[in-house]
Amino acid sequence: LAKTTQPISMDSYEGQEVNITCSHNNIATNDYITWYQQFPSQGPRFIIQGYKTKVTNEVASLFIPADRKSSTLSLPRVSLSDTAVYYCLVGGPSNTGNQFYFGTGTSLTVIP
Amino acid sequence: GAGVSQSPSNKVTEKGKDVELRCDPISGHTALYWYRQSLGQGLEFLIYFQGNSAPDKSGLPSDRFSAERTGGSVSTLTIQRTQQEDSAVYLCASSSSRTGPGRGYTFGSGTRLTVV
């Protein structure tokens, strides 16, 4: 199973771009990379998913190098409301709950 | 409903008592998952349902934990003879398909269980 490694915490000032990198050295060929966001007292919420290269949506961008052993979630111009825990997950189409390793995530604190 | 609903939102119970936690998934979602999150920790997988059957119970920490799902909808997680180490937030998620690489999970807000 592809487990992930992320920094435990990060701080950023409002308006800055934040990049959170996740390592997944044993990612499998058919695995996708998915990022979730969790606010206090809420369940995680899907942000973005990718397989290779770059994916962008209205919330974030996801950069995946050619070897796919890592990925970087990029949050442009963060605001205070982006303070949350961000989880990187790796898994394939046939995987189910126990095969998505949420880990401890990265706790992002946005400072005014 | 519009989202995944969990009840109660908070539960305080005495050690040794049994508790039931309820999850009402999004209508039409066939897959349902239970996770547990201890303070400051990541999510720990407990059990997965596809319809009413549970093909994967590998995460249940002990035989004090059980879960069922009826009518392909509501699920109940039961913890018997609660212990203090059971204190955590119990999160339920549903998705529209068994497959899909982790994209389609919609989580509820969880039940915060405190065993005193």
Side-chain angles (χ1 to χ4, degrees):
Chain A
L1 298 178
K3 290 200 171 179
T4 60
T5 303
Q6 305 173 233
I8 293 175
S9 64
M10 295 179 69
D11 293 337
S12 176
Y13 287 101
E14 266 190 304
Q16 289 189 332
E17 178 184 80
V18 171
N19 296 309
I20 306 174
T21 297
C22 178
S23 297
H24 28 80
N25 291 320
N26 59 339
I27 188 170
T29 302
N30 61 347
D31 283 347
Y32 286 72
I33 299 154
T34 311
W35 286 80
Y36 277 76
Q37 175 190 56
Q38 185 178 27
F39 296 113
S41 301
Q42 294 185 25
R45 181 176 72 104
F46 171 84
I47 304 176
I48 195 167
Q49 182 181 74
Y51 182 79
K52 62 180 179 180
T53 63
K54 177 185 175 182
V55 178
T56 297
N57 62 21
E58 65 278 6
V59 177
S61 294
L62 179 59
F63 298 91
I64 305 168
D67 66 6
R68 303 198 329 120
K69 294 185 183 299
S70 67
S71 59
T72 299
L73 175 73
S74 181
L75 305 172
R77 299 178 299 282
V78 293
S79 64
L80 296 178
S81 63
D82 292 317
T83 293
V85 178
Y86 293 83
Y87 295 96
C88 164
L89 279 69
V90 172
S94 62
N95 290 162
T96 56
N98 72 325
Q99 291 153 339
F100 291 108
Y101 176 65
F102 276 83
T104 55
T106 298
S107 179
L108 171 66
T109 301
V110 180
I111 305 165
Chain B
V4 176
S5 177
Q6 292 188 246
S7 61
S9 55
N10 281 284
K11 176 71 176 179
V12 180
T13 189
E14 292 181 352
K15 178 181 173 181
K17 294 287 180 70
D18 298 350
V19 294
E20 285 189 352
L21 312 180
R22 176 188 170 106
C23 173
D24 201 340
I26 291 174
S27 179
H29 278 194
T30 56
L32 186 148
Y33 305 82
W34 283 98
Y35 287 86
R36 178 169 72 173
Q37 187 170 34
S38 301
L39 186 63
Q41 301 298 309
L43 277 71
E44 174 190 3
F45 170 82
L46 297 178
I47 189 170
Y48 152 68
F49 286 92
Q50 178 61 28
N52 290 335
S53 64
D56 190 348
K57 304 178 182 179
S58 62
L60 294 177
S62 75
D63 59 5
R64 295 187 295 106
F65 287 71
S66 63
E68 65 175 11
R69 188 180 185 193
T70 56
S73 179
V74 173
S75 175
T76 303
L77 177 69
T78 301
I79 309 173
Q80 295 178 313
R81 305 181 301 284
T82 51
Q83 303 295 314
Q84 288 184 329
E85 60 263 29
D86 299 334
S87 296
V89 175
Y90 289 81
L91 288 160
C92 174
S94 68
S95 69
S96 60
S97 172
R98 180 175 66 86
T99 59
R103 182 190 184 108
Y105 290 13
T106 301
F107 281 86
S109 295
T111 293
R112 182 175 298 278
L113 176 65
T114 304
V115 182
V116 297

